[in-house]
Structure formats: C-alpha cells, structure tokens
mmCIF file of all heavy atoms in Angstrom:
data_model
loop_
_atom_site.group_PDB
_atom_site.id
_atom_site.type_symbol
_atom_site.label_atom_id
_atom_site.label_comp_id
_atom_site.label_asym_id
_atom_site.label_seq_id
_atom_site.Cartn_x
_atom_site.Cartn_y
_atom_site.Cartn_z
ATOM 1 N N SER C 1 0.849 -1.196 0.000
ATOM 2 C CA SER C 1 0.000 0.000 0.000
ATOM 3 C C SER C 1 0.887 1.250 0.000
ATOM 4 O O SER C 1 2.100 1.167 -0.082
ATOM 5 C CB SER C 1 -0.930 -0.029 1.213
ATOM 6 O OG SER C 1 -0.191 0.004 2.407
ATOM 7 N N ARG C 2 0.246 2.397 0.118
ATOM 8 C CA ARG C 2 0.972 3.667 0.076
ATOM 9 C C ARG C 2 0.421 4.620 1.134
ATOM 10 O O ARG C 2 -0.730 4.515 1.545
ATOM 11 C CB ARG C 2 0.853 4.303 -1.301
ATOM 12 C CG ARG C 2 1.520 3.470 -2.378
ATOM 13 C CD ARG C 2 1.588 4.237 -3.681
ATOM 14 N NE ARG C 2 2.306 3.476 -4.675
ATOM 15 C CZ ARG C 2 3.619 3.552 -4.894
ATOM 16 N NH1 ARG C 2 4.352 4.361 -4.175
ATOM 17 N NH2 ARG C 2 4.205 2.836 -5.816
ATOM 18 N N ILE C 3 1.270 5.552 1.537
ATOM 19 C CA ILE C 3 0.884 6.630 2.443
ATOM 20 C C ILE C 3 1.520 7.901 1.887
ATOM 21 O O ILE C 3 2.591 7.843 1.280
ATOM 22 C CB ILE C 3 1.339 6.326 3.894
ATOM 23 C CG1 ILE C 3 0.737 7.310 4.870
ATOM 24 C CG2 ILE C 3 2.853 6.278 4.008
ATOM 25 C CD1 ILE C 3 0.914 6.913 6.330
ATOM 26 N N ARG C 4 0.848 9.028 2.089
ATOM 27 C CA ARG C 4 1.380 10.258 1.507
ATOM 28 C C ARG C 4 1.991 11.159 2.573
ATOM 29 O O ARG C 4 1.568 11.166 3.732
ATOM 30 C CB ARG C 4 0.292 11.006 0.744
ATOM 31 C CG ARG C 4 -0.717 11.691 1.602
ATOM 32 C CD ARG C 4 -1.707 12.515 0.783
ATOM 33 N NE ARG C 4 -2.576 13.227 1.685
ATOM 34 C CZ ARG C 4 -2.325 14.436 2.177
ATOM 35 N NH1 ARG C 4 -1.236 15.065 1.858
ATOM 36 N NH2 ARG C 4 -3.171 15.006 3.004
ATOM 37 N N ILE C 5 3.003 11.919 2.162
ATOM 38 C CA ILE C 5 3.601 12.936 3.018
ATOM 39 C C ILE C 5 2.637 14.125 3.024
ATOM 40 O O ILE C 5 2.154 14.549 1.973
ATOM 41 C CB ILE C 5 5.000 13.323 2.504
ATOM 42 C CG1 ILE C 5 5.923 12.112 2.629
ATOM 43 C CG2 ILE C 5 5.551 14.522 3.274
ATOM 44 C CD1 ILE C 5 7.309 12.323 2.062
ATOM 45 N N SER C 6 2.344 14.656 4.212
ATOM 46 C CA SER C 6 1.276 15.648 4.325
ATOM 47 C C SER C 6 1.732 17.100 4.253
ATOM 48 O O SER C 6 0.893 17.989 4.151
ATOM 49 C CB SER C 6 0.486 15.430 5.618
ATOM 50 O OG SER C 6 1.311 15.645 6.742
ATOM 51 N N GLY C 7 3.031 17.365 4.325
ATOM 52 C CA GLY C 7 3.450 18.764 4.290
ATOM 53 C C GLY C 7 4.887 18.940 3.840
ATOM 54 O O GLY C 7 5.633 17.984 3.669
ATOM 55 N N GLY C 8 5.274 20.191 3.622
ATOM 56 C CA GLY C 8 6.643 20.515 3.245
ATOM 57 C C GLY C 8 6.907 20.331 1.762
ATOM 58 O O GLY C 8 5.987 20.226 0.948
ATOM 59 N N GLY C 9 8.185 20.274 1.422
ATOM 60 C CA GLY C 9 8.612 20.185 0.038
ATOM 61 C C GLY C 9 8.176 18.928 -0.683
ATOM 62 O O GLY C 9 8.040 18.926 -1.908
ATOM 63 N N TRP C 10 7.979 17.850 0.051
ATOM 64 C CA TRP C 10 7.542 16.586 -0.559
ATOM 65 C C TRP C 10 6.050 16.351 -0.360
ATOM 66 O O TRP C 10 5.571 15.220 -0.509
ATOM 67 C CB TRP C 10 8.325 15.405 0.007
ATOM 68 C CG TRP C 10 9.790 15.421 -0.305
ATOM 69 C CD1 TRP C 10 10.386 15.903 -1.431
ATOM 70 C CD2 TRP C 10 10.829 14.915 0.519
ATOM 71 N NE1 TRP C 10 11.740 15.717 -1.355
ATOM 72 C CE2 TRP C 10 12.038 15.121 -0.173
ATOM 73 C CE3 TRP C 10 10.869 14.305 1.770
ATOM 74 C CZ2 TRP C 10 13.278 14.738 0.347
ATOM 75 C CZ3 TRP C 10 12.097 13.932 2.296
ATOM 76 C CH2 TRP C 10 13.284 14.149 1.588
ATOM 77 N N ARG C 11 5.321 17.377 -0.023
ATOM 78 C CA ARG C 11 3.880 17.240 0.217
ATOM 79 C C ARG C 11 3.214 16.494 -0.934
ATOM 80 O O ARG C 11 3.488 16.745 -2.105
ATOM 81 C CB ARG C 11 3.245 18.617 0.347
ATOM 82 C CG ARG C 11 1.784 18.529 0.666
ATOM 83 C CD ARG C 11 1.158 19.881 0.746
ATOM 84 N NE ARG C 11 -0.256 19.671 0.988
ATOM 85 C CZ ARG C 11 -1.014 20.492 1.643
ATOM 86 N NH1 ARG C 11 -0.531 21.601 2.114
ATOM 87 N NH2 ARG C 11 -2.277 20.216 1.827
ATOM 88 N N SER C 12 2.354 15.555 -0.581
ATOM 89 C CA SER C 12 1.567 14.713 -1.495
ATOM 90 C C SER C 12 2.373 13.618 -2.173
ATOM 91 O O SER C 12 1.802 12.834 -2.932
ATOM 92 C CB SER C 12 0.835 15.552 -2.554
ATOM 93 O OG SER C 12 -0.063 16.433 -1.911
ATOM 94 N N ARG C 13 3.680 13.522 -1.917
ATOM 95 C CA ARG C 13 4.457 12.420 -2.477
ATOM 96 C C ARG C 13 4.047 11.137 -1.769
ATOM 97 O O ARG C 13 3.799 11.112 -0.558
ATOM 98 C CB ARG C 13 5.972 12.651 -2.290
ATOM 99 C CG ARG C 13 6.531 13.812 -3.086
ATOM 100 C CD ARG C 13 6.730 13.519 -4.556
ATOM 101 N NE ARG C 13 7.606 12.423 -4.866
ATOM 102 C CZ ARG C 13 8.910 12.519 -5.083
ATOM 103 N NH1 ARG C 13 9.511 13.700 -5.039
ATOM 104 N NH2 ARG C 13 9.617 11.441 -5.347
ATOM 105 N N GLN C 14 3.966 10.057 -2.505
ATOM 106 C CA GLN C 14 3.518 8.766 -1.992
ATOM 107 C C GLN C 14 4.715 7.912 -1.556
ATOM 108 O O GLN C 14 5.730 7.868 -2.256
ATOM 109 C CB GLN C 14 2.739 8.021 -3.069
ATOM 110 C CG GLN C 14 1.494 8.726 -3.540
ATOM 111 C CD GLN C 14 0.349 8.612 -2.556
ATOM 112 O OE1 GLN C 14 0.111 7.569 -1.966
ATOM 113 N NE2 GLN C 14 -0.366 9.706 -2.364
ATOM 114 N N LEU C 15 4.571 7.226 -0.427
ATOM 115 C CA LEU C 15 5.584 6.301 0.073
ATOM 116 C C LEU C 15 5.029 4.885 0.028
ATOM 117 O O LEU C 15 3.866 4.660 0.364
ATOM 118 C CB LEU C 15 5.949 6.632 1.526
ATOM 119 C CG LEU C 15 6.460 8.035 1.815
ATOM 120 C CD1 LEU C 15 6.651 8.217 3.313
ATOM 121 C CD2 LEU C 15 7.745 8.296 1.063
ATOM 122 N N LYS C 16 5.877 3.937 -0.351
ATOM 123 C CA LYS C 16 5.480 2.527 -0.316
ATOM 124 C C LYS C 16 5.439 2.058 1.130
ATOM 125 O O LYS C 16 6.305 2.398 1.928
ATOM 126 C CB LYS C 16 6.481 1.668 -1.089
ATOM 127 C CG LYS C 16 6.523 1.927 -2.564
ATOM 128 C CD LYS C 16 7.567 1.046 -3.219
ATOM 129 C CE LYS C 16 7.660 1.356 -4.708
ATOM 130 N NZ LYS C 16 8.699 0.540 -5.355
ATOM 131 N N VAL C 17 4.421 1.254 1.439
ATOM 132 C CA VAL C 17 4.266 0.690 2.774
ATOM 133 C C VAL C 17 4.120 -0.816 2.629
ATOM 134 O O VAL C 17 3.203 -1.287 1.949
ATOM 135 C CB VAL C 17 3.023 1.262 3.492
ATOM 136 C CG1 VAL C 17 2.840 0.616 4.855
ATOM 137 C CG2 VAL C 17 3.117 2.772 3.613
ATOM 138 N N VAL C 18 5.017 -1.563 3.267
ATOM 139 C CA VAL C 18 4.939 -3.020 3.201
ATOM 140 C C VAL C 18 3.854 -3.516 4.143
ATOM 141 O O VAL C 18 3.530 -2.877 5.140
ATOM 142 C CB VAL C 18 6.289 -3.689 3.547
ATOM 143 C CG1 VAL C 18 7.355 -3.320 2.544
ATOM 144 C CG2 VAL C 18 6.725 -3.366 4.954
ATOM 145 N N ASP C 19 3.304 -4.660 3.819
ATOM 146 C CA ASP C 19 2.324 -5.310 4.680
ATOM 147 C C ASP C 19 3.102 -6.171 5.667
ATOM 148 O O ASP C 19 3.575 -7.245 5.320
ATOM 149 C CB ASP C 19 1.370 -6.163 3.839
ATOM 150 C CG ASP C 19 0.269 -6.782 4.676
ATOM 151 O OD1 ASP C 19 0.000 -6.264 5.777
ATOM 152 O OD2 ASP C 19 -0.313 -7.775 4.220
ATOM 153 N N SER C 20 3.272 -5.659 6.881
ATOM 154 C CA SER C 20 4.074 -6.338 7.884
ATOM 155 C C SER C 20 3.345 -6.294 9.219
ATOM 156 O O SER C 20 2.771 -5.257 9.587
ATOM 157 C CB SER C 20 5.441 -5.650 7.999
ATOM 158 O OG SER C 20 6.256 -6.279 8.936
ATOM 159 N N ALA C 21 3.383 -7.390 9.946
ATOM 160 C CA ALA C 21 2.702 -7.470 11.239
ATOM 161 C C ALA C 21 3.213 -6.371 12.168
ATOM 162 O O ALA C 21 4.413 -6.165 12.308
ATOM 163 C CB ALA C 21 2.938 -8.834 11.869
ATOM 164 N N GLY C 22 2.287 -5.651 12.780
ATOM 165 C CA GLY C 22 2.636 -4.624 13.752
ATOM 166 C C GLY C 22 2.993 -3.275 13.152
ATOM 167 O O GLY C 22 3.192 -2.314 13.889
ATOM 168 N N LEU C 23 3.078 -3.179 11.832
ATOM 169 C CA LEU C 23 3.416 -1.907 11.195
ATOM 170 C C LEU C 23 2.156 -1.057 11.092
ATOM 171 O O LEU C 23 1.185 -1.432 10.455
ATOM 172 C CB LEU C 23 4.013 -2.162 9.810
ATOM 173 C CG LEU C 23 4.660 -0.959 9.127
ATOM 174 C CD1 LEU C 23 5.886 -0.500 9.913
ATOM 175 C CD2 LEU C 23 5.071 -1.333 7.721
ATOM 176 N N ARG C 24 2.168 0.101 11.770
ATOM 177 C CA ARG C 24 1.025 1.003 11.803
ATOM 178 C C ARG C 24 1.477 2.388 11.375
ATOM 179 O O ARG C 24 1.986 3.157 12.195
ATOM 180 C CB ARG C 24 0.467 1.144 13.228
ATOM 181 C CG ARG C 24 0.126 -0.079 13.973
ATOM 182 C CD ARG C 24 -0.161 0.240 15.453
ATOM 183 N NE ARG C 24 0.675 1.280 16.031
ATOM 184 C CZ ARG C 24 1.894 1.111 16.522
ATOM 185 N NH1 ARG C 24 2.462 -0.064 16.483
ATOM 186 N NH2 ARG C 24 2.560 2.114 17.048
ATOM 187 N N PRO C 25 1.304 2.751 10.128
ATOM 188 C CA PRO C 25 1.693 4.104 9.721
ATOM 189 C C PRO C 25 0.904 5.144 10.522
ATOM 190 O O PRO C 25 -0.297 5.005 10.719
ATOM 191 C CB PRO C 25 1.321 4.165 8.241
ATOM 192 C CG PRO C 25 1.236 2.738 7.800
ATOM 193 C CD PRO C 25 0.786 1.961 9.007
ATOM 194 N N THR C 26 1.596 6.166 10.987
ATOM 195 C CA THR C 26 0.942 7.223 11.736
ATOM 196 C C THR C 26 -0.076 7.924 10.832
ATOM 197 O O THR C 26 0.274 8.374 9.750
ATOM 198 C CB THR C 26 1.988 8.238 12.249
ATOM 199 O OG1 THR C 26 2.907 7.537 13.090
ATOM 200 C CG2 THR C 26 1.334 9.359 13.035
ATOM 201 N N PRO C 27 -1.338 8.011 11.280
ATOM 202 C CA PRO C 27 -2.381 8.617 10.444
ATOM 203 C C PRO C 27 -2.076 10.067 10.061
ATOM 204 O O PRO C 27 -1.432 10.801 10.812
ATOM 205 C CB PRO C 27 -3.629 8.539 11.328
ATOM 206 C CG PRO C 27 -3.346 7.466 12.325
ATOM 207 C CD PRO C 27 -1.862 7.507 12.555
ATOM 208 N N ASP C 28 -2.550 10.459 8.909
ATOM 209 C CA ASP C 28 -2.380 11.802 8.366
ATOM 210 C C ASP C 28 -2.786 12.870 9.381
ATOM 211 O O ASP C 28 -2.058 13.833 9.619
ATOM 212 C CB ASP C 28 -3.252 11.899 7.105
ATOM 213 C CG ASP C 28 -2.730 12.886 6.088
ATOM 214 O OD1 ASP C 28 -1.507 13.095 6.022
ATOM 215 O OD2 ASP C 28 -3.553 13.437 5.340
ATOM 216 N N LYS C 29 -3.945 12.707 9.980
ATOM 217 C CA LYS C 29 -4.466 13.676 10.948
ATOM 218 C C LYS C 29 -3.510 13.841 12.135
ATOM 219 O O LYS C 29 -3.281 14.949 12.611
ATOM 220 C CB LYS C 29 -5.841 13.219 11.443
ATOM 221 C CG LYS C 29 -6.430 14.077 12.526
ATOM 222 C CD LYS C 29 -7.726 13.496 13.054
ATOM 223 C CE LYS C 29 -8.184 14.267 14.270
ATOM 224 N NZ LYS C 29 -9.279 13.643 14.958
ATOM 225 N N VAL C 30 -2.942 12.743 12.589
ATOM 226 C CA VAL C 30 -2.019 12.789 13.729
ATOM 227 C C VAL C 30 -0.736 13.521 13.328
ATOM 228 O O VAL C 30 -0.218 14.355 14.075
ATOM 229 C CB VAL C 30 -1.723 11.368 14.248
ATOM 230 C CG1 VAL C 30 -0.650 11.387 15.321
ATOM 231 C CG2 VAL C 30 -3.002 10.723 14.778
ATOM 232 N N ARG C 31 -0.218 13.238 12.141
ATOM 233 C CA ARG C 31 1.000 13.914 11.677
ATOM 234 C C ARG C 31 0.764 15.410 11.524
ATOM 235 O O ARG C 31 1.624 16.227 11.876
ATOM 236 C CB ARG C 31 1.479 13.301 10.365
ATOM 237 C CG ARG C 31 2.121 11.944 10.586
ATOM 238 C CD ARG C 31 2.648 11.331 9.310
ATOM 239 N NE ARG C 31 1.553 10.660 8.614
ATOM 240 C CZ ARG C 31 1.188 10.885 7.362
ATOM 241 N NH1 ARG C 31 1.840 11.740 6.615
ATOM 242 N NH2 ARG C 31 0.189 10.229 6.826
#
C-alpha cells in the first residue's frame, strides 16, 4: 500500500508501505 507525506517540500508524495505485522503508519491527521 501507500501513504502520503502531508506537508513541506515533498507534500503529497507517496511512500510505499509493506504489509508487515505490527506496522502502523501514523495517520495523516495525527502527523
């Protein structure tokens, strides 16, 4: 899956996210 950077120079750039047990990307709202 993917998650996006929410601010700064790389705003809206997508990052690859592996499907791994226990991996919880920090939600956009929290960041």
Side-chain angles (χ1 to χ4, degrees):
S1 63
R2 295 190 176 269
I3 190 169
R4 74 175 185 89
I5 295 176
S6 64
W10 295 327
R11 183 182 177 150
S12 299
R13 293 283 301 268
Q14 299 284 319
L15 303 175
K16 294 179 183 178
V17 177
V18 297
D19 184 21
S20 181
L23 191 65
R24 307 169 323 277
T26 300
D28 208 29
K29 175 185 172 190
V30 173
R31 286 182 277 125

